[in-house]
Amino acid sequence: MTITELQRLYADSEIVEAVIEPSLQANGWVVEFRHRRGGFVTLTDGSGSEKCYRDIDTATERAFEVGFHQVRIADHF
């Protein structure tokens, strides 16, 4: 989902947690959001491809753009 789509979910209290974790597909970090009904949705670009960031700080900024004030960093592979 794009940032705009995720902002709508956040405003509607549909996503309840932001999580940054290592990407399984690239060398970097992805931002996922836990849905209130379970499961996760991933931040993607307009074409639906997973967005991968080089560093945790940039990934955190994207979670803040969605509306969250804190994020959980998951460092497992």
Side-chain angles (χ1 to χ4, degrees):
M1 301 190 107
T2 65
I3 284 187
T4 303
E5 293 168 323
L6 289 162
Q7 287 170 332
R8 280 190 228 119
L9 289 180
Y10 179 83
D12 293 339
S13 300
E14 291 292 321
I15 50 177
V16 296
E17 180 183 31
V19 181
I20 296 171
E21 61 183 27
S23 173
L24 299 176
Q25 300 172 2
N27 186 19
W29 300 88
V30 295
V31 186
E32 295 185 330
F33 299 89
R34 187 165 54 90
H35 198 278
R36 71 178 180 87
R37 294 186 190 137
F40 285 88
V41 291
T42 303
L43 175 59
T44 63
D45 61 22
S47 66
S49 297
E50 178 181 88
K51 293 286 286 177
C52 186
Y53 300 95
R54 287 183 162 195
D55 58 72
I56 290 175
D57 291 338
T58 305
T60 299
E61 288 174 17
R62 297 299 86 79
F64 290 167
E65 279 184 50
V66 169
F68 286 90
H69 299 288
Q70 66 181 31
V71 298
R72 180 167 57 93
I73 308 296
D75 59 0
H76 66 296
F77 281 95

